[in-house]
């Protein structure tokens, strides 16, 4: 649920900041296409970032549960 919310928001914020930074005197078709491309690229990048971070969080949780339960069980079994 976070990806559909975070990705366009990140893309919009980045696009607005880049628009303020460049501040063209006349918006031509090239500028508009450039801003649309910036929006799409940053939205895609933030989507991938959220996806990867979510996967890493799940992997860390599984590893923590495995080590948290498995290590004491293994130690007790060997004792």
């Amino acid at each position: 649920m976070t990806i559909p919310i975070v990705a366009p928001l990140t893309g919009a914020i980045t696009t607005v900041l880049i628009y303020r930074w460049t501040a063209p005197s006349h918006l031509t078709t090239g500028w508009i296409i450039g801003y649309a491309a910036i929006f799409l690229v940053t939205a895609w990048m933030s989507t991938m970032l959220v996806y990867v971070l979510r996967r890493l969080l799940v992997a860390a949780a599984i590893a923590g549960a495995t080590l948290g339960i498995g290590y004491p069980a293994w130690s007790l079994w060997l004792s």
Side-chain angles (χ1 to χ4, degrees):
M1 189 58 158
T2 58
I3 291 176
I5 295 170
V6 171
L9 186 63
T10 306
I13 290 171
T14 305
T15 304
V16 167
L17 290 175
I18 290 178
Y19 173 75
R20 285 184 170 182
W21 182 53
T22 56
S25 57
H26 300 290
L27 272 180
T28 61
T29 306
W31 281 106
I32 293 172
I33 291 172
Y35 291 135
I38 288 170
F39 174 79
L40 292 175
V41 167
T42 54
W44 182 77
M45 287 173 58
S46 66
T47 300
M48 291 296 111
L49 181 66
V50 169
Y51 180 76
V52 166
L53 290 176
R54 193 173 66 187
R55 290 288 179 167
L56 286 174
L57 183 64
V58 169
I62 290 172
T66 302
L67 292 175
I69 295 170
Y71 182 74
W74 182 261
S75 297
L76 290 173
W77 182 67
L78 288 178
S79 301

